[in-house]
């Protein structure tokens, strides 16, 4: 290649001897198949010629001798890179040498082409061409202007002028046949190699009088002689070249028609539109990761066509517009699909909420009709004269009841269908597969978390993802559910694992020492401060601090903690300068902080500062599958302490699995340690466990607290709650009615407040409030026809005979308040 040969000659880039191939893939494909003209000879200045003729500009007598020899040798065109209009430099031949060169040019006739002078007008009667070759926006020269304005006339490109002379054509005629862009520039298809002869070889032939050698180089060919020192090199697809060397590529392209054509604007726009439409269709037709992968694949296919097409067809495809159309259309389509899915999910959620409200009303209607039917049957049994009318009324009520039950079933079926659709459209991760569960189980076990429950493994997966960020984490759950284990897992899975982990029991910090314990103090700041002391936050710098039982903080302590979490700075007690720390916060509480916000005992701004990710750890009674592996681990630890081998009998394991475990994992651990310590048998029996409390949850299901807990777990779905408790739905309804009447009395008749107290969390409050409204209004309708409160209470005792007696007092209060108003 031209740049490589020039570098080998030692004159490229100041004699660096290195030619760097550059350009894009399009450039390399284009030059790989570019033709090389057999009718062009390039004579290039080299180091040997400089040693013979001197450095810098040579004597023009040398050029005159070369022009004369090439003309006699039969060259069809001779190109010189020396401007004839400028006088020779002193010491380089002077006017005599200039005269010799003019005479040689005149004898060669129209065959000689020279560079246009850098200043002034070109000499009259001499062919001159410009060497201009501006770079593209990326700094690489790929195209040349075919003509440039000089004075009052257009000067053709030096390479076009030399090629036109060799082809016996006018330069403007040749330029008219060359494809150009909108600015009159032609795009070169660069030649991978040109026929290069070193000037030292030609000069040696001239000195020897070897006319045959000169004739072999020149006869029937265009000869371009480069005698001037190289100028400033610029990047091209074949390496760094200076302006006149670039014109050698122009001569070759003009003689071989090696030009590239740019795609028309109309075709570019149409193709870009088609590619964008195809990308959008792909993005809309696929779901998940295949959609962006397919769009990127389409862009890669176009990039391949972009690189291959110039070499195969001579047409340069546009790059930015089609690729931008593919990526923009694909991205917009994917974004639109996501937004549409989000809107669909919101619509489904709204519809589910409406269906739930309708279901609550249907359930209430069914329950009210059942009570009315029961009352009608009882009245019919007591009646003697109007038995037929009462029976008819009872049958009508029975028909209405059947219709209401059918409507309820339809509503419930619609709700279930919508919930399935909502789950199908949800973008949250799918259920864990067996392999994923096993991987998570092993990873959790390495961190001391023993579980087989899919729900716990899903929590651990979310914890692992959140641990990599600096997101604060709030762990909720009953005492003994493993909140500190999860907090330590957050630390060990985070980038802060090499830093400290500091656990603080906020409930155990005395109020008067709160600031000193958490933020530290300086010597002499108070009585007993005999030395500087770092607080827990400073001890946890660049690590993790675990704030356990954070719900026990007082209001003033919550404000101080919030300020530290927001600003990452604090003052030690007695210190004048603030201390800055970088701490990851993990908090835990067995109290409902969301309820605390609604009731006013926990600051809302602190709650939202802590709840970057909320992980609610379920109690052990909801993790029956974990009882066996946990028991095995605790039994192994307890046996190791006593240097014994102890195991569980099958009956003992069944007792453990049926037990309710109000103390959760901590109670299970203590139970097994006590059994191992007090029993000498190698196999523990049920009696060795010492579980005196009822083992079955249903044994305590009759309590209002247990019923309310089950209702909350089942989102106040009466049918699901009845199945969980093993009751019929009417019994659950009567319990909820009693609880609701008592809550209304405690709340002073405020249904919203009573509903929130029963629901336990704001998300269920609206559902409970609907039920309370139906129950209360049904009660008021039942006593509307009575003249006195006593008569109404007596009627209610008969109508609501299945209501527990402990709740009837609340019903009576509501009835008497109604009559009092």
């Amino acid at each position: 290649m031209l740049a490589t040969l020039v570098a080998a000659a030692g004159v490229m880039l100041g004699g660096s001897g290195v030619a760097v191939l550059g350009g894009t893939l399009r450039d390399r494909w284009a030059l790989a198949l570019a033709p090389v003209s057999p009718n062009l000879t390039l004579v290039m200045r080299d180091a040997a010629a400089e040693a013979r003729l001197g450095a810098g500009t040579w004597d023009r007598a040398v050029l005159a001798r070369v022009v004369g020899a090439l003309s006699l040798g039969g060259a069809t065109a001779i190109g010189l890179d020396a401007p004839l209009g400028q006088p020779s430099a002193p010491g380089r031949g002077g006017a005599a040498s200039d005269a010799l060169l003019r005479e040689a040019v005149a004898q060669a006739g129209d065959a000689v082409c020279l560079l246009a002078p850098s200043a002034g007008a070109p000499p009259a009667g001499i062919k001159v061409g410009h060497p201009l070759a501006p770079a593209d926006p990326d700094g690489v020269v790929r195209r040349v202007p075919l003509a440039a304005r000089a004075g009052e006339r257009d000067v053709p490109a030096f390479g076009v002028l030399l090629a036109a002379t060799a082809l016996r054509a006018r330069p403007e005629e040749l330029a008219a046949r060359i494809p150009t862009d909108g600015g009159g520039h032609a795009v070169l298809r660069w030649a991978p190699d040109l026929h290069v002869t070193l000037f030292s070889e030609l000069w040696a032939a001239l000195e020897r009088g070897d006319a045959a050698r000169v004739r072999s180089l020149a006869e029937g060919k265009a000869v371009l002689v480069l005698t001037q020192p190289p100028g400033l090199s610029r990047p091209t697809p074949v390496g760094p070249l200076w302006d006149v060397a670039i014109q050698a590529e122009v001569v070759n392209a003009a003689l071989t028609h090696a030009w590239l054509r740019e795609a028309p604007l109309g075709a570019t726009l149409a193709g870009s539109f088609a590619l964008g439409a195809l990308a959008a269709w792909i993005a809309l037709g696929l779901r998940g990761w295949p959609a962006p992968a397919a769009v990127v694949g389409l862009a890669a296919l176009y990039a391949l066509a972009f690189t291959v097409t110039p070499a195969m067809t001579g047409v340069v495809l546009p790059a930015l517009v089609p690729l931008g159309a593919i990526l923009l259309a694909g991205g917009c389509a994917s974004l639109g699909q996501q937004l549409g899915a989000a809107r669909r999910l919101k619509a489904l959620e709204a519809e589910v909420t409406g269906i739930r409200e309708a279901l609550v009303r249907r359930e209430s209607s069914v329950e009210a009709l059942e009570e009315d039917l029961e009352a009608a049957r009882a009245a019919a049994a007591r009646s003697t004269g109007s038995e037929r009318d009462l029976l008819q009324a009872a049958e009508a009520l029975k028909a209405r009841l059947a219709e209401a039950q059918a409507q309820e079933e339809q509503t419930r079926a619609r709700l279930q269908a919508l919930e399935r659709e909502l789950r199908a459209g949800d973008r949250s991760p799918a259920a864990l597969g067996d392999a994923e569960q096993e991987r998570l189980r092993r990873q959790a076990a390495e961190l001391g978390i023993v579980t087989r429950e899919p729900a716990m493994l899903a929590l651990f997966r979310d914890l692992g993802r959140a641990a990599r960020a600096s997101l604060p984490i709030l762990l909720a759950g009953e005492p003994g559910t493993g909140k500190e284990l999860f907090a330590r897992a957050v630390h060990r899975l985070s980038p802060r694992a090499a830093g400290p982990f500091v656990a603080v029991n906020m409930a155990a910090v005395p109020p008067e020492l709160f600031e000193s314990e958490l933020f530290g103090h300086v010597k002499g700041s108070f009585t007993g401060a005999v030395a500087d002391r770092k607080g827990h936050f400073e001890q946890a710098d660049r690590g993790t601090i675990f704030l356990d039982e954070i719900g026990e903080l007082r209001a003033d302590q919550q404000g101080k903690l919030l300020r530290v979490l927001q600003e990452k700075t604090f003052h030690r007690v007695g210190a004048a300068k603030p201390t800055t720390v970088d701490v990851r916060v993990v908090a835990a509480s067995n109290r409902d902080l969301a309820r605390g916000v609604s009731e006013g005992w926990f600051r809302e701004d602190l709650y939202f500062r802590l709840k970057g990710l909320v992980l609610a750890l379920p109690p052990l009674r909801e993790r029956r599958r974990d009882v066996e592996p946990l028991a095995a681990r605790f039994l192994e630890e307890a046996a190791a302490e006593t240097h014994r081998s102890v195991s569980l009998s099958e009956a003992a394991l069944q007792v453990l699995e049926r037990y309710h475990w109000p103390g959760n994992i901590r109670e299970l651990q203590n139970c097994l340690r006590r059994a191992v310590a007090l029993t000498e048998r190698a196999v523990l029996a049920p009696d060795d466990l010492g579980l005196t409390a009822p083992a079955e949850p249903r044994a305590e299901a009759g309590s209002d607290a247990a019923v309310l807990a089950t209702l909350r777990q089942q989102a106040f779905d009466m049918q699901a709650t009845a199945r969980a408790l093993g009751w019929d739905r009417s019994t659950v309804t009567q319990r909820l009615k009693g609880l609701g009447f008592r809550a209304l009395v405690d709340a002073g008749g405020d249904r919203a407040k009573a509903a929130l107290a029963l629901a336990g969390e704001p998300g269920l409050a609206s559902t409970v409030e609907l039920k309370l409204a139906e129950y209360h209004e049904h009660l008021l309708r039942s006593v509307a026809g009575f003249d006195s409160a006593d008569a109404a209470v007596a009627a209610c005792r008969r109508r609501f005979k299945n209501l527990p007696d402990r709740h009837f007092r609340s019903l009576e209060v509501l009835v008497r308040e109604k009559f009092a108003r």
Side-chain angles (χ1 to χ4, degrees), residues 323-519:
L323 287 175
I326 292 173
L327 299 178
L328 181 62
C332 290
S334 298
L335 180 60
Q337 188 181 43
Q338 294 291 336
L339 293 177
R343 287 194 296 269
R344 175 61 177 161
L345 285 175
K346 287 183 179 179
L348 285 174
E349 289 171 353
E351 190 171 357
V352 166
T353 301
I355 293 294
R356 285 189 183 279
E357 293 178 355
L359 180 59
V360 169
R361 296 190 180 93
R362 299 290 186 197
E363 285 181 339
S364 300
S365 299
V366 170
E367 293 158 3
L369 287 172
E370 287 176 343
E371 291 178 353
D372 291 342
L373 180 59
E374 183 66 24
R377 285 174 174 168
R382 294 191 303 269
S383 173
T384 55
S386 56
E387 182 176 355
R388 179 178 299 175
D389 295 338
L390 290 173
L391 288 175
Q392 289 177 352
E395 290 300 325
L397 285 172
K398 186 175 180 180
R400 289 176 57 192
L401 175 61
E403 182 181 356
Q405 288 174 336
Q407 291 177 349
E408 180 191 357
E409 290 303 321
Q410 292 175 0
T411 304
R412 188 177 297 277
R414 175 60 178 159
L415 175 61
Q416 292 173 350
L418 283 174
E419 288 177 337
R420 285 195 299 271
E421 186 176 356
L422 186 61
R423 287 192 296 270
D426 191 2
R427 294 291 184 184
S428 59
L432 296 173
D434 293 340
E436 177 71 2
Q437 286 192 34
E438 181 60 23
R439 183 189 67 81
L440 290 172
R441 186 194 64 76
R442 289 197 303 268
Q443 186 179 6
E446 293 173 359
L447 298 174
I449 300 173
V450 177
T451 183
R452 296 176 181 173
E453 286 287 344
M456 284 289 290
L457 294 174
L459 288 177
F460 182 76
R461 176 194 59 192
D462 294 342
L463 177 143
R465 293 173 178 172
R468 296 190 291 266
S470 59
L471 190 71
I473 295 178
L474 177 61
L475 302 172
E478 298 178 6
T481 52
K483 295 189 288 295
E484 183 167 351
L485 273 179
F486 268 70
R488 292 184 181 275
V490 170
H491 176 69
R492 292 181 59 184
L493 294 174
S494 72
R496 301 171 179 264
F501 176 86
V502 178
V504 185
N505 186 349
M506 306 301 285
V509 177
E512 63 275 8
L513 298 179
F514 177 78
E515 292 186 68
S516 175
E517 290 291 321
L518 263 65
F519 312 136

